[in-house]
Amino acid sequence: MQSSNIQYLPRLDHLRGLAAMIVFTYHLYHHFYHNWQPNPDAWYLGLMVEGHTGVGLFFVLSGFIFMLISLKNGEIRYGDFMRNRFLRIFPLFLFVFFVAISIGRNNFGAADVLYLFFSNLGQAPTSGSFITGAAWTISVEFTFYAIFPFLAMAVADKGATYLPRLVLILLLFKLGAYFINEAPKHMLYSTLLGRLDQFLIGMMAAMIYLRAQEKGWLQQWYWLPLSLLAVWAGVGVMAHFFSYQAQEQHEPWWVLWPTFEALLWAGVCLAYLCTSLQLPRFLNAVLELMGQVSYSWYLLHALILWLWSQLIGPISVGSFGIDLLLNWLVIGSLSLAFAKLSYHTLEEPFLGMRRRYTS
């Protein structure tokens, strides 16, 4: 995504595209094959079984990108920053929100308009159907936007230890809330309390990245596969021992998981952004496209999945692996094409209205 506030880094788009692809794969796997149930024996498929981890990558990237902009450019003008964030997020989100309240028109109340700002809480209209359900993350994301400039100022004033201290405070509050809440799983999964540390770890990763660029760290080829292996193993452990798909509401590991997940993805971000490895031109172009339309792909892929399942049904040739791959390729391509249409129609007209928000 091009920005007037920072030099374009194609690999950030690659990582955005990866996050959207993981969430798409997760929804395809469960919608077609596993019906949102845990699958502890298939821990090695953790990135599909627990593909919600792509949301964690999105949050880490948000913290990383804005902290990088702040570190490179200095003071952020709050009004211009929030204006840009509104223009980036709300046009497509509003479209999805109005789809959601149209689907649930018979149950709509005037107070439901407030769910525009709290789509992650209560009985939000967007959570009422599969095709709009991914919108819960937007309120979490936008709340982080609202506090980020203050966090960046605090880091500039208090130094590098400010963010780890804040993560520790959050962990203690999450632990306390875990024991108070009768069903803490969704509290830890879909609220700012449960997710803020992921943004903060992304901010810390940006600070490390600038240092790594200066010192030439993490350029060796092996850091990238090692970081990806760590994510695969970590998500596999989760899939086997404390899956979010399980009916269990009280699992103490969920208190720590978002923090650990963010650390794993921060490692991937740093390794990929610093590596000297070069991708083939075609793969680079595909990943840039995926990153460019990742917001639309993330929010709208469920519609294509749903329509395919209702009108055609999963492609089946008798082998789970081949069936999964064929459905992933065909529906993934269709949903990516739809995301490109959405990007140019519902996102791009507003992106040109953004302006520089750094001094």
Side-chain angles (χ1 to χ4, degrees):
M1 177 65 62
Q2 302 282 353
S3 170
S4 61
N5 294 284
I6 192 173
Q7 181 182 357
Y8 179 55
L9 295 173
R11 291 189 178 188
L12 286 176
D13 267 351
H14 298 179
L15 291 165
R16 285 193 187 101
L18 173 65
M21 183 182 72
I22 290 171
V23 175
F24 164 74
T25 305
Y26 166 60
H27 287 159
L28 182 147
Y29 172 76
H30 281 287
H31 188 61
F32 281 0
Y33 299 108
H34 214 69
N35 198 30
W36 316 102
Q37 298 299 311
N39 194 357
D41 294 333
W43 61 268
Y44 49 88
L45 298 177
L47 285 168
M48 284 197 298
V49 180
E50 307 293 337
H52 50 78
T53 189
V55 172
L57 175 54
F58 269 127
F59 290 162
V60 169
L61 283 170
S62 289
F64 181 95
I65 292 165
F66 293 121
M67 191 61 183
L68 192 60
I69 291 172
S70 176
L71 292 170
K72 284 179 172 286
N73 296 287
E75 182 181 353
I76 291 175
R77 294 189 293 271
Y78 189 82
D80 288 336
F81 175 77
M82 291 304 294
R83 180 180 186 275
N84 280 17
R85 294 302 89 215
F86 184 89
L87 289 169
R88 177 70 187 97
I89 292 293
F90 262 78
L92 180 58
F93 175 60
L94 281 171
F95 186 87
V96 171
F97 185 84
F98 278 103
V99 169
I101 63 175
S102 298
I103 292 172
R105 65 172 299 278
N106 293 335
N107 299 315
F108 180 76
D112 288 345
V113 172
L114 294 174
Y115 281 119
L116 277 170
F117 305 99
F118 303 103
S119 61
N120 59 318
L121 303 175
Q123 302 300 315
T126 48
S127 297
S129 70
F130 177 65
I131 67 173
T132 59
W136 72 265
T137 61
I138 306 307
S139 291
V140 179
E141 186 92 19
F142 203 78
T143 307
F144 169 71
Y145 296 160
I147 65 174
F148 168 75
F150 304 105
L151 293 172
M153 285 191 293
V155 172
D157 182 48
K158 300 298 183 183
T161 62
Y162 176 79
L163 292 174
R165 284 184 277 140
L166 188 52
V167 169
L168 178 59
I169 291 170
L170 280 169
L171 282 172
L172 290 174
F173 268 104
K174 283 202 281 188
L175 183 62
Y178 170 82
F179 287 112
I180 293 172
N181 196 297
E182 294 180 357
K185 178 167 71 172
H186 289 296
M187 176 196 70
L188 294 168
Y189 179 78
S190 64
T191 68
L192 191 65
L193 175 63
R195 295 285 190 167
L196 181 56
D197 51 359
Q198 299 192 320
F199 295 100
L200 301 179
I201 288 169
M203 293 172 66
M204 287 188 272
M207 300 169 74
I208 296 170
Y209 170 71
L210 289 182
R211 187 69 169 167
Q213 290 290 94
E214 181 184 315
K215 297 293 186 181
W217 298 340
L218 302 175
Q219 294 182 359
Q220 295 85 353
W221 68 268
Y222 51 79
W223 288 113
L224 181 58
L226 283 175
S227 66
L228 290 169
L229 181 64
V231 167
W232 173 76
V235 177
V237 168
M238 183 201 193
H240 185 74
F241 291 106
F242 50 98
S243 171
Y244 269 127
Q245 315 307 323
Q247 296 300 311
E248 174 61 48
Q249 289 293 321
H250 283 81
E251 172 53 67
W253 284 109
W254 293 337
V255 175
L256 296 174
W257 173 252
T259 310
F260 183 63
E261 177 183 58
L263 290 170
L264 292 174
W265 282 123
V268 171
C269 293
L270 287 169
Y272 187 55
L273 291 169
C274 293
T275 186
S276 58
L277 289 173
Q278 298 297 316
L279 297 178
R281 184 177 301 176
F282 173 76
L283 182 56
N284 190 72
V286 170
L287 290 172
E288 282 190 34
L289 170 63
M290 288 167 53
Q292 180 190 51
V293 305
S294 58
Y295 181 39
S296 280
W297 197 18
Y298 168 76
L299 272 187
L300 304 181
H301 70 266
L303 172 62
I304 305 303
L305 270 173
W306 179 260
L307 289 174
W308 187 277
S309 68
Q310 296 299 304
L311 299 175
I312 299 174
I315 300 169
S316 178
V317 297
S319 167
F320 169 72
I322 296 175
D323 291 352
L324 179 65
L325 179 60
L326 287 174
N327 282 288
W328 187 84
L329 288 172
V330 173
I331 304 170
S333 298
L334 290 172
S335 63
L336 192 60
F338 183 56
K340 185 171 176 60
L341 174 65
S342 168
Y343 171 79
H344 289 298
T345 308
L346 300 173
E347 294 185 62
E348 194 173 41
F350 301 93
L351 298 180
M353 301 177 188
R354 297 179 301 172
R355 56 194 179 207
R356 188 172 178 87
Y357 54 76
T358 54
S359 56

Coordinates of all heavy atoms in Angstrom, one line a residue, residues 9-55:
L9 N 7.4 -0.1 1.0 CA 8.1 -1.4 1.2 C 7.3 -2.5 0.7 O 6.3 -2.9 1.4 CB 8.4 -1.5 2.7 CG 9.3 -0.5 3.4 CD1 9.3 -0.7 4.9 CD2 10.7 -0.6 2.8
P10 N 7.6 -3.0 -0.5 CA 6.7 -4.1 -1.0 C 6.5 -5.3 -0.1 O 5.5 -5.9 -0.1 CB 7.5 -4.5 -2.3 CG 8.3 -3.3 -2.6 CD 8.7 -2.7 -1.3
R11 N 7.6 -5.6 0.7 CA 7.4 -6.8 1.5 C 6.4 -6.6 2.6 O 5.9 -7.6 3.2 CB 8.8 -7.1 2.1 CG 9.8 -7.6 1.0 CD 11.0 -8.2 1.6 NE 11.9 -8.7 0.5 CZ 13.0 -9.4 0.7 NH1 13.4 -9.6 1.9 NH2 13.7 -9.8 -0.4
L12 N 6.1 -5.4 3.0 CA 5.0 -5.2 3.9 C 3.6 -5.6 3.3 O 2.8 -6.2 3.9 CB 4.9 -3.8 4.4 CG 6.0 -3.3 5.4 CD1 5.9 -1.8 5.7 CD2 5.9 -4.1 6.7
D13 N 3.5 -5.3 2.0 CA 2.3 -5.8 1.3 C 2.3 -7.3 1.2 O 1.2 -7.9 1.3 CB 2.3 -5.2 -0.1 CG 1.5 -3.9 -0.2 OD1 0.8 -3.6 0.8 OD2 1.5 -3.2 -1.3
H14 N 3.5 -7.9 1.0 CA 3.5 -9.4 0.9 C 3.0 -10.0 2.3 O 2.2 -10.9 2.2 CB 5.0 -9.8 0.8 CG 5.6 -9.4 -0.5 ND1 6.9 -9.7 -0.9 CD2 5.1 -8.7 -1.6 CE1 7.2 -9.1 -2.1 NE2 6.1 -8.5 -2.5
L15 N 3.4 -9.4 3.4 CA 3.0 -9.9 4.7 C 1.5 -9.6 4.9 O 0.8 -10.5 5.5 CB 3.8 -9.2 5.8 CG 5.3 -9.6 5.8 CD1 6.1 -8.7 6.7 CD2 5.4 -11.1 6.3
R16 N 1.0 -8.5 4.4 CA -0.5 -8.3 4.5 C -1.2 -9.4 3.7 O -2.3 -9.9 4.1 CB -0.8 -6.9 4.0 CG -0.5 -5.7 4.8 CD -1.2 -4.5 4.3 NE -0.9 -3.3 4.9 CZ 0.0 -2.4 4.4 NH1 0.6 -2.6 3.3 NH2 0.2 -1.3 5.1
G17 N -0.7 -9.6 2.5 CA -1.4 -10.6 1.7 C -1.3 -12.0 2.3 O -2.3 -12.8 2.3
L18 N -0.2 -12.3 3.0 CA -0.1 -13.6 3.7 C -1.1 -13.7 4.8 O -1.8 -14.7 5.0 CB 1.3 -13.7 4.3 CG 1.6 -14.9 5.2 CD1 1.5 -16.2 4.5 CD2 2.9 -14.8 5.9
A19 N -1.3 -12.6 5.6 CA -2.3 -12.6 6.7 C -3.7 -12.9 6.1 O -4.5 -13.7 6.7 CB -2.3 -11.3 7.4
A20 N -4.1 -12.2 5.0 CA -5.4 -12.4 4.4 C -5.5 -13.8 3.9 O -6.6 -14.4 4.0 CB -5.6 -11.4 3.3
M21 N -4.5 -14.3 3.3 CA -4.5 -15.7 2.7 C -4.7 -16.7 3.8 O -5.5 -17.7 3.7 CB -3.2 -16.0 2.0 CG -3.2 -17.3 1.3 SD -1.7 -17.7 0.4 CE -0.6 -17.9 1.8
I22 N -4.1 -16.5 5.0 CA -4.2 -17.5 6.1 C -5.7 -17.5 6.6 O -6.2 -18.5 6.9 CB -3.2 -17.1 7.2 CG1 -1.8 -17.4 6.8 CG2 -3.6 -17.9 8.5 CD1 -0.7 -16.9 7.8
V23 N -6.3 -16.3 6.7 CA -7.7 -16.2 7.2 C -8.6 -16.8 6.2 O -9.5 -17.6 6.6 CB -8.1 -14.8 7.5 CG1 -9.5 -14.7 7.9 CG2 -7.2 -14.2 8.6
F24 N -8.4 -16.6 4.9 CA -9.2 -17.2 3.9 C -9.1 -18.7 4.0 O -10.1 -19.4 3.9 CB -8.7 -16.7 2.5 CG -9.3 -17.6 1.4 CD1 -10.6 -17.5 1.0 CD2 -8.4 -18.5 0.7 CE1 -11.1 -18.4 -0.1 CE2 -8.9 -19.3 -0.3 CZ -10.2 -19.3 -0.7
T25 N -7.9 -19.3 4.1 CA -7.7 -20.7 4.2 C -8.4 -21.3 5.4 O -9.0 -22.4 5.3 CB -6.2 -21.0 4.2 OG1 -5.5 -20.4 3.1 CG2 -5.9 -22.5 4.2
Y26 N -8.3 -20.6 6.5 CA -9.0 -21.0 7.7 C -10.5 -21.1 7.5 O -11.1 -22.1 7.9 CB -8.7 -20.0 8.8 CG -9.5 -20.0 10.1 CD1 -9.5 -21.1 10.9 CD2 -10.1 -18.8 10.5 CE1 -10.2 -21.1 12.1 CE2 -10.8 -18.8 11.7 CZ -10.9 -19.9 12.5 OH -11.6 -19.9 13.6
H27 N -11.1 -20.1 6.9 CA -12.5 -20.1 6.7 C -12.9 -21.2 5.7 O -14.0 -21.8 5.8 CB -13.0 -18.7 6.2 CG -13.0 -17.7 7.3 ND1 -13.0 -16.3 7.1 CD2 -13.0 -17.9 8.7 CE1 -13.0 -15.7 8.3 NE2 -13.0 -16.6 9.2
L28 N -12.2 -21.3 4.6 CA -12.5 -22.4 3.7 C -12.4 -23.8 4.3 O -13.3 -24.6 4.1 CB -11.5 -22.3 2.5 CG -11.7 -23.3 1.3 CD1 -11.3 -22.7 0.0 CD2 -10.9 -24.6 1.5
Y29 N -11.4 -24.0 5.1 CA -11.2 -25.3 5.7 C -12.4 -25.7 6.6 O -13.0 -26.8 6.6 CB -9.9 -25.3 6.5 CG -9.7 -26.6 7.4 CD1 -9.3 -27.8 6.8 CD2 -9.9 -26.5 8.8 CE1 -9.1 -28.9 7.6 CE2 -9.7 -27.6 9.6 CZ -9.3 -28.8 9.0 OH -9.2 -29.9 9.8
H30 N -12.8 -24.7 7.5 CA -13.8 -25.0 8.4 C -15.2 -25.0 7.8 O -16.1 -25.8 8.1 CB -13.8 -24.1 9.6 CG -12.7 -24.4 10.6 ND1 -12.9 -25.5 11.5 CD2 -11.5 -23.9 10.8 CE1 -11.8 -25.6 12.2 NE2 -10.9 -24.6 11.9
H31 N -15.4 -24.0 6.8 CA -16.8 -23.9 6.2 C -17.1 -25.1 5.3 O -18.2 -25.6 5.3 CB -16.8 -22.7 5.4 CG -18.1 -22.3 4.8 ND1 -19.3 -22.1 5.6 CD2 -18.6 -22.2 3.5 CE1 -20.3 -21.8 4.9 NE2 -19.9 -21.9 3.6
F32 N -16.1 -25.7 4.7 CA -16.3 -26.8 3.8 C -16.0 -28.2 4.5 O -16.7 -29.2 4.1 CB -15.3 -26.7 2.6 CG -15.8 -25.8 1.5 CD1 -17.0 -25.1 1.7 CD2 -15.1 -25.6 0.4 CE1 -17.4 -24.2 0.7 CE2 -15.5 -24.7 -0.6 CZ -16.7 -24.0 -0.5
Y33 N -15.1 -28.3 5.4 CA -14.7 -29.6 5.9 C -14.8 -29.9 7.4 O -15.2 -31.0 7.7 CB -13.2 -29.8 5.5 CG -13.0 -29.7 4.0 CD1 -12.3 -28.6 3.4 CD2 -13.4 -30.7 3.1 CE1 -12.1 -28.5 2.1 CE2 -13.2 -30.6 1.8 CZ -12.6 -29.5 1.2 OH -12.4 -29.5 -0.1
H34 N -14.6 -28.9 8.2 CA -14.4 -29.3 9.6 C -15.4 -28.6 10.6 O -15.3 -28.8 11.8 CB -13.0 -29.1 10.1 CG -12.5 -30.1 11.1 ND1 -12.3 -31.4 10.8 CD2 -12.2 -30.0 12.4 CE1 -11.9 -32.1 11.9 NE2 -11.9 -31.2 12.9
N35 N -16.2 -27.7 10.1 CA -17.4 -27.2 10.8 C -16.9 -26.5 12.1 O -17.6 -26.7 13.2 CB -18.4 -28.3 11.1 CG -19.8 -27.7 11.4 OD1 -20.1 -26.6 11.0 ND2 -20.5 -28.4 12.3
W36 N -15.8 -25.8 12.2 CA -15.4 -25.0 13.3 C -15.2 -25.9 14.6 O -15.4 -25.4 15.7 CB -16.4 -23.9 13.6 CG -16.8 -23.2 12.3 CD1 -18.0 -23.4 11.6 CD2 -16.0 -22.3 11.5 NE1 -18.0 -22.6 10.5 CE2 -16.8 -21.9 10.4 CE3 -14.8 -21.7 11.7 CZ2 -16.4 -21.1 9.4 CZ3 -14.3 -20.8 10.7 CH2 -15.1 -20.5 9.6
Q37 N -14.7 -27.1 14.3 CA -14.4 -28.0 15.4 C -12.9 -28.1 15.6 O -12.1 -27.9 14.7 CB -14.9 -29.4 15.2 CG -16.5 -29.4 15.1 CD -17.1 -29.0 16.3 OE1 -16.8 -29.4 17.4 NE2 -18.1 -28.0 16.2
P38 N -12.4 -28.4 16.8 CA -10.9 -28.6 17.0 C -10.5 -29.9 16.3 O -11.3 -30.8 16.0 CB -10.8 -28.7 18.5 CG -12.1 -29.2 19.0 CD -13.1 -28.6 18.1
N39 N -9.2 -29.9 16.0 CA -8.7 -31.1 15.3 C -7.3 -31.4 15.9 O -6.3 -31.2 15.2 CB -8.6 -30.9 13.8 CG -8.4 -32.1 13.0 OD1 -8.2 -33.2 13.6 ND2 -8.4 -32.0 11.7
P40 N -7.2 -31.8 17.1 CA -5.9 -31.9 17.8 C -4.9 -32.9 17.1 O -3.7 -32.7 17.2 CB -6.2 -32.3 19.2 CG -7.6 -32.9 19.1 CD -8.3 -32.2 18.0
D41 N -5.5 -33.9 16.5 CA -4.6 -34.9 15.8 C -3.9 -34.3 14.6 O -2.9 -34.8 14.1 CB -5.4 -36.2 15.5 CG -5.9 -36.9 16.7 OD1 -5.3 -36.8 17.7 OD2 -6.9 -37.6 16.6
A42 N -4.5 -33.3 14.0 CA -4.0 -32.7 12.8 C -3.2 -31.4 13.2 O -3.3 -30.3 12.5 CB -5.0 -32.4 11.8
W43 N -2.4 -31.4 14.3 CA -1.7 -30.3 14.8 C -0.8 -29.7 13.7 O -0.6 -28.5 13.7 CB -0.9 -30.6 16.0 CG 0.1 -31.7 15.7 CD1 0.0 -33.0 15.9 CD2 1.4 -31.5 15.2 NE1 1.1 -33.7 15.5 CE2 2.0 -32.8 15.1 CE3 2.2 -30.4 14.9 CZ2 3.3 -32.9 14.6 CZ3 3.5 -30.5 14.4 CH2 4.1 -31.8 14.3
Y44 N -0.3 -30.5 12.8 CA 0.6 -30.1 11.8 C -0.1 -29.2 10.7 O 0.5 -28.6 9.9 CB 1.3 -31.3 11.1 CG 0.3 -32.4 10.7 CD1 -0.4 -32.3 9.4 CD2 0.0 -33.4 11.5 CE1 -1.3 -33.3 9.1 CE2 -0.9 -34.4 11.2 CZ -1.6 -34.3 10.0 OH -2.5 -35.3 9.6
L45 N -1.5 -29.2 10.7 CA -2.3 -28.4 9.9 C -2.8 -27.1 10.7 O -3.8 -26.5 10.4 CB -3.5 -29.1 9.3 CG -3.2 -30.3 8.4 CD1 -4.5 -31.0 8.0 CD2 -2.4 -29.8 7.2
G46 N -2.1 -26.8 11.8 CA -2.5 -25.8 12.7 C -2.8 -24.4 12.0 O -3.7 -23.7 12.4
L47 N -2.0 -24.1 10.9 CA -2.2 -22.8 10.3 C -3.6 -22.8 9.5 O -4.0 -21.7 9.2 CB -1.1 -22.6 9.3 CG 0.2 -22.1 10.0 CD1 1.4 -22.1 9.0 CD2 0.0 -20.7 10.6
M48 N -4.2 -24.0 9.3 CA -5.5 -24.0 8.8 C -6.6 -24.1 9.9 O -7.5 -23.4 10.0 CB -5.7 -25.2 7.8 CG -5.1 -25.0 6.4 SD -5.7 -26.1 5.2 CE -5.2 -27.7 5.9
V49 N -6.3 -25.1 10.8 CA -7.3 -25.3 11.9 C -7.4 -24.1 12.8 O -8.5 -23.7 13.2 CB -6.8 -26.5 12.8 CG1 -7.8 -26.8 13.9 CG2 -6.7 -27.8 11.9
E50 N -6.3 -23.4 13.0 CA -6.3 -22.2 13.8 C -5.8 -21.0 13.0 O -5.1 -20.1 13.4 CB -5.3 -22.4 15.0 CG -5.6 -23.6 15.9 CD -6.9 -23.6 16.6 OE1 -7.4 -22.4 16.9 OE2 -7.4 -24.6 17.0
G51 N -6.4 -20.9 11.8 CA -5.9 -19.8 10.9 C -6.4 -18.4 11.3 O -6.0 -17.5 10.6
H52 N -7.1 -18.3 12.3 CA -7.4 -17.0 12.9 C -6.1 -16.3 13.3 O -6.1 -15.1 13.5 CB -8.3 -17.1 14.1 CG -7.9 -18.1 15.1 ND1 -6.8 -17.9 16.0 CD2 -8.3 -19.4 15.4 CE1 -6.6 -18.9 16.7 NE2 -7.5 -19.9 16.4
T53 N -5.0 -17.0 13.3 CA -3.7 -16.4 13.7 C -3.3 -15.4 12.6 O -2.5 -14.5 12.9 CB -2.6 -17.5 13.8 OG1 -1.4 -16.9 14.3 CG2 -2.3 -18.1 12.4
G54 N -3.9 -15.4 11.4 CA -3.7 -14.4 10.5 C -4.1 -13.0 11.0 O -3.5 -12.0 10.6
V55 N -5.2 -13.0 11.8 CA -5.6 -11.7 12.4 C -4.5 -11.1 13.3 O -4.2 -9.9 13.3 CB -6.9 -11.9 13.2 CG1 -7.2 -10.6 14.0 CG2 -8.0 -12.2 12.3

